[in-house]
Amino acid sequence: MAAAFACACAAAMLDARAEMTEINVAEQYGIGYLPLMLMEEQKLIEKHAKVAGVDVKVGWAKFAGGNVMNDALLSGSLQFASGGVGPLVTLWARTKGNLDMKAVAAINSMPLYLNSRNPNVKTIRDLTDKDKIALPAVKVSIQAVTLQMAAEKAFGEGQANRLDPLTVSMAHPDAQVALLSGQSEITAHFGSPPFQYQQLERSGVHTVLDSYEVLGGPATFNLVWTTSKFRNENPKLYDAFVKALDEAIAQINRDKRAAAEAYLRISKDKDSVDNILRMLNDPNVVYTTTPQNVMKYVSFMQKTGTIKVKPESWKDLFFPNVHALPGS
C-alpha cells in the first residue's frame, strides 16, 4: 500500500510538472481587451490554475497588432494571442495541418468606426491619395479586412485592395494623437472603442464607415487564440485560461460601472468614468465568448486569396469548449 501510495504521489507530481510553469499572454489597446486586463490585474489565470494543482507565472505583453503577436506565437515566446478576426483566420490557414492554431473563444462584439477629420470625406469613395488611414496592421488587421470589404462594395468586384495604399500601421493611442493633432499626414483612423468615441467628441471629426454596416449586423471584434500543441500539452492551463476569461466577462456584465472604473485604473486613460460607462452601455458593445459573423470575414478572405484554405464552419476555427454556443 505504501509503495502504491508513493507511486500515485509521484505520478501526480509528474502530471503537474508536465504543464508549463511560465506562460505569456498578449493583449492590445482599448476597452475591447478589458476582460484580459481584469485577468491580469486579478491574477485570474493563476487562481484557476492553482485550483487545478498547477503553479504558473503569467507574463503579459502589449502589442499594437495581431500580426506581430502571430510571429511571437509561432516562435513559442507567446502562448495566447489576442486580436481581431483577420489575424486569427490568417494564422489558422497558415498552420492548418501542423501547429493547428485555433481560437479559444471570442471576447466581444463591437462596432469599429473609420473616423476622419477631412471635411471633404463623407464616404470612402471620397478618399484620395492626400488621405492616410491609420489602423493596427495594414492588410491583415480586422480594420484592414473590413476596409477591403467596404472598398469592394463601393468600387466593384476586384477592387478590394483599392484603398490599401492609403493605410498606415499604427497603434491606436498613437493614431489618435496623430489624427487629433491636425499636424500629421494621418487624416483618418480606423480604430476601436474607446478611441473612436473619444475622437467624435472633437469638433470636425466624423464617422465615414461603420463595420456593422459593412458586415450587415453585429460581429465579433476580438478573440483569443493558441496552438493545438499548447492545448494538448497543457490541458489544465488551457482550462484555467478559459475559466479566467469567463469570470472576467461575467464581472463586466454584472457591474458595468465597476468595469469602467477598472478600465481607467488599469489603462491610465484620462477619460471619465461616465464616458467609459456610456461606451460599455452601448447596446452594440457586447462582451461574450460567442463568435458572431466570423464566417463573413472568412469567406471574403478566401475569395480574395488572403487564405488558401477555408473552414467548413466557424467551429473549425475554434476549440471545442465553445462549440455548444450559438456561433456564426
Side-chain angles (χ1 to χ4, degrees):
M1 289 177 64
F5 179 74
C7 288
C9 289
M13 291 173 65
L14 286 171
D15 181 58
R17 282 200 297 269
E19 304 256 342
M20 295 178 67
T21 57
E22 292 188 26
I23 63 171
N24 292 306
V25 183
E27 57 189 331
Q28 296 188 49
Y29 299 92
I31 63 173
Y33 298 92
L34 181 54
L36 300 183
M37 296 165 70
L38 293 175
M39 288 163 65
E40 178 183 6
E41 183 186 53
Q42 300 176 23
K43 297 186 180 299
L44 296 182
I45 300 174
E46 294 92 329
K47 166 188 164 182
H48 289 284
K50 186 75 171 179
V51 172
V54 179
D55 289 316
V56 64
K57 179 180 179 182
V58 182
W60 293 83
K62 189 155 285 188
F63 288 75
N67 57 329
V68 183
M69 284 191 203
N70 282 346
D71 291 338
L73 194 64
L74 292 174
S75 72
S77 60
L78 191 66
Q79 281 66 55
F80 290 95
S82 62
V85 178
L88 160 71
V89 175
T90 300
L91 193 59
W92 175 87
R94 181 179 171 188
T95 62
K96 183 174 173 56
N98 43 75
L99 288 177
D100 286 322
M101 190 286 309
K102 293 185 180 182
V104 177
I107 303 178
N108 56 60
S109 290
M110 294 184 180
L112 308 177
Y113 297 163
L114 171 61
N115 290 337
S116 174
R117 60 177 169 82
N118 184 344
N120 298 319
V121 176
K122 306 300 183 185
T123 72
I124 61 170
R125 296 182 66 88
D126 300 321
L127 291 164
T128 70
D129 56 8
K130 294 181 180 179
D131 294 289
K132 292 297 181 184
I133 306 167
L135 40 73
V138 299
K139 292 190 175 293
V140 298
S141 65
I142 188 172
Q143 288 88 349
V145 176
T146 304
L147 184 62
Q148 291 168 354
M149 295 173 75
E152 188 165 272
K153 285 185 176 182
F155 301 108
E157 194 77 19
Q159 297 297 307
N161 299 320
R162 180 160 174 166
L163 300 177
D164 284 2
L166 306 183
T167 60
V168 178
S169 296
M170 191 174 291
H172 289 318
D174 296 333
Q176 174 146 304
V177 170
L179 177 70
L180 298 182
S181 72
Q183 306 300 314
S184 168
E185 66 173 357
I186 302 299
T187 60
H189 177 206
F190 209 158
S192 68
F195 309 103
Q196 60 194 29
Y197 298 114
Q198 293 168 343
Q199 292 161 11
L200 291 173
E201 294 175 2
R202 288 291 191 93
S203 176
V205 177
H206 60 282
T207 297
V208 176
L209 190 69
D210 180 337
S211 65
Y212 279 13
E213 293 178 359
V214 178
L215 272 291
T220 292
F221 170 31
N222 299 128
L223 317 95
V224 182
W225 56 91
T226 189
T227 63
S228 292
K229 181 177 186 294
F230 173 82
R231 177 176 175 270
N232 293 338
E233 295 178 356
N234 302 272
K236 293 180 180 180
L237 286 177
Y238 179 89
D239 185 59
F241 185 95
V242 171
K243 289 178 178 177
L245 179 61
D246 287 340
E247 181 177 344
I249 288 178
Q251 283 185 33
I252 296 169
N253 291 329
R254 185 169 57 247
D255 191 337
K256 296 287 181 66
R257 176 168 287 277
E261 293 170 349
Y263 173 75
L264 293 177
R265 179 177 67 250
I266 300 169
S267 69
K268 311 300 183 187
D269 192 318
K270 302 304 181 184
D271 211 333
S272 69
V273 172
D274 286 343
N275 274 350
I276 299 298
L277 180 59
R278 191 177 302 113
M279 299 174 201
L280 295 181
N281 282 329
D282 183 338
N284 287 323
V285 172
V286 179
Y287 289 92
T288 176
T289 56
T290 301
Q292 196 169 16
N293 264 332
V294 295
M295 289 303 290
K296 288 188 178 180
Y297 281 110
V298 170
S299 296
F300 175 80
M301 293 173 72
Q302 192 269 337
K303 183 184 76 169
T304 56
T306 304
I307 58 173
K308 304 302 180 185
V309 290
K310 180 184 176 183
E312 292 184 8
S313 81
W314 68 268
K315 293 182 180 180
D316 293 338
L317 292 167
F318 290 80
F319 288 114
N321 53 284
V322 295
H323 285 185
L325 299 176
S328 61

